[in-house]
Amino acid sequence: MKEKLDKKVRRIDTDIDKLRIKIKDSNSLKLEENVFDEPTLKNLYKLSRKDFIKELGGSISTGKEANVFYATGPEKELAIKIYRITTSTFKAMDPYITKDPRFTNIRHTRRDIVFAWTQKESQNLKRAISAGVRAPEPITTEKNILIMEFLGENEVPYPQLKNITLEEEDAKRIFEIIVEYMRLLLTKANLVHADLSEYNIIIDPNTLEPIIIDMGQSVTLEHPNAREFLYRDVQNILRYFSRYGIKMSPEELLSKIQAK
Ligand SMILES: Nc1ncnc2c1ncn2[C@@H]1O[C@H](COP(=O)(O)OP(=O)(O)OP(=O)(O)O)[C@@H](O)[C@H]1O
Ligand SMILES: [Mg+2]
């Protein structure tokens, strides 16, 4: 078994060499080797040839559907989110995407759904930013790969909200900004995040400002479950911030978010 795995890893290493993508930390890639199937490697190579990626770095996160890696571009640090095609919980994606009117004519094979999902995340991030929400700027997509602005400095990613402890005063200010972002998303971008929680909010440590991430599952208000997703987001946010003394009913928060 081990031998087989070693062989597989070696083969991937050779492929990477062949593709001439510079790898900063090949050990972390070995752990993540199931992400780098052959088509993904080819697409990474394509992106490096087009000069989007200069150097691929270590793993930032291994999630249920995607892996996020650090990389450098010609000018800036990058985050590269790679949706897994074979091991992703792709069934969970289906209702979010097949009921979205923007994606009605995509084929429903696993690959096609993952590719559409990647594009959807990029489009949703753009719409959020245009509405005035702070989110990582999407740079480009290639099949199941999304390249975006790196939220962090000198290879160190900024923390998730769930991993920091705040002064009550700062927590209240962050809460207000999140409420305003939810309002802008809904009223200006016509979007419901649909997975908003302390996991998908990053805190810029310089300004203690929130940044919203992970918008692959976000839907427009036309989606049949949009209201239900919005209510869930509202409950998640209120549950998290109650520890900082913020008490509000879901209905009150909803009315704030819906105000034009
Ligand atoms: N642009 C970025 N810059 C820096 N770190 C990032 C960026 N995007 C994502 N991350 C980090 O990677 C983690 C996972 O990203 P994201 O939430 O988008 O993926 P995910 O697939 O939802 O993960 P999961 O499957 O666990 O829900 C984030 O919590 C964050 O810590
Ligand atoms: Mg996430």
Side-chain angles (χ1 to χ4, degrees), residues 81 160 195 199-200 213-214:
K81 186 167 179 176
Q160 290 166 290
D195 192 18
Y199 288 81
N200 287 329
I213 62 159
D214 198 1

Short mmCIF file of all heavy atoms in Angstrom, two decimals, residues 81 160 195 199-200 213-214, ligand 2:
data_model
loop_
_atom_site.label_atom_id
_atom_site.label_comp_id
_atom_site.label_asym_id
_atom_site.label_seq_id
_atom_site.Cartn_x
_atom_site.Cartn_y
_atom_site.Cartn_z
N LYS A 81 -7.67 28.33 -4.56
CA LYS A 81 -8.65 27.38 -4.05
C LYS A 81 -8.92 26.33 -5.13
O LYS A 81 -9.30 26.68 -6.25
CB LYS A 81 -9.94 28.13 -3.69
CG LYS A 81 -10.98 27.26 -3.00
CD LYS A 81 -12.08 28.12 -2.40
CE LYS A 81 -13.15 27.29 -1.72
NZ LYS A 81 -14.17 28.12 -1.05
N GLN A 160 -9.23 33.29 11.06
CA GLN A 160 -10.69 33.23 10.98
C GLN A 160 -11.24 33.85 12.27
O GLN A 160 -10.61 33.75 13.33
CB GLN A 160 -11.15 31.77 10.90
CG GLN A 160 -10.84 31.07 9.60
CD GLN A 160 -11.03 29.56 9.75
OE1 GLN A 160 -10.25 28.89 10.42
NE2 GLN A 160 -12.06 29.02 9.12
N ASP A 195 -23.61 30.44 3.86
CA ASP A 195 -22.75 29.65 4.76
C ASP A 195 -21.99 30.63 5.67
O ASP A 195 -20.81 30.46 5.94
CB ASP A 195 -21.79 28.76 3.98
CG ASP A 195 -21.10 27.72 4.87
OD1 ASP A 195 -21.59 27.46 5.99
OD2 ASP A 195 -20.04 27.19 4.45
N TYR A 199 -16.52 30.79 10.74
CA TYR A 199 -15.54 30.07 9.92
C TYR A 199 -15.23 30.81 8.62
O TYR A 199 -14.13 30.72 8.10
CB TYR A 199 -16.06 28.68 9.54
CG TYR A 199 -16.09 27.71 10.69
CD1 TYR A 199 -17.12 27.73 11.61
CD2 TYR A 199 -15.05 26.79 10.86
CE1 TYR A 199 -17.14 26.85 12.69
CE2 TYR A 199 -15.06 25.91 11.92
CZ TYR A 199 -16.11 25.95 12.83
OH TYR A 199 -16.10 25.08 13.89
N ASN A 200 -16.23 31.48 8.09
CA ASN A 200 -16.07 32.12 6.78
C ASN A 200 -15.95 33.63 6.87
O ASN A 200 -16.21 34.35 5.93
CB ASN A 200 -17.21 31.70 5.85
CG ASN A 200 -17.03 30.26 5.40
OD1 ASN A 200 -15.91 29.78 5.28
ND2 ASN A 200 -18.13 29.56 5.19
N ILE A 213 -15.51 35.50 3.21
CA ILE A 213 -14.95 34.55 2.22
C ILE A 213 -15.94 33.42 1.93
O ILE A 213 -17.03 33.38 2.51
CB ILE A 213 -13.61 33.93 2.70
CG1 ILE A 213 -13.82 33.11 3.99
CG2 ILE A 213 -12.55 34.99 2.89
CD1 ILE A 213 -12.73 32.09 4.26
N ASP A 214 -15.53 32.53 1.04
CA ASP A 214 -16.21 31.27 0.77
C ASP A 214 -17.64 31.47 0.25
O ASP A 214 -18.62 31.21 0.95
CB ASP A 214 -16.22 30.43 2.07
CG ASP A 214 -16.50 28.96 1.80
OD1 ASP A 214 -16.67 28.59 0.63
OD2 ASP A 214 -16.55 28.19 2.78
MG MG B 2 -15.29 27.70 4.51
#
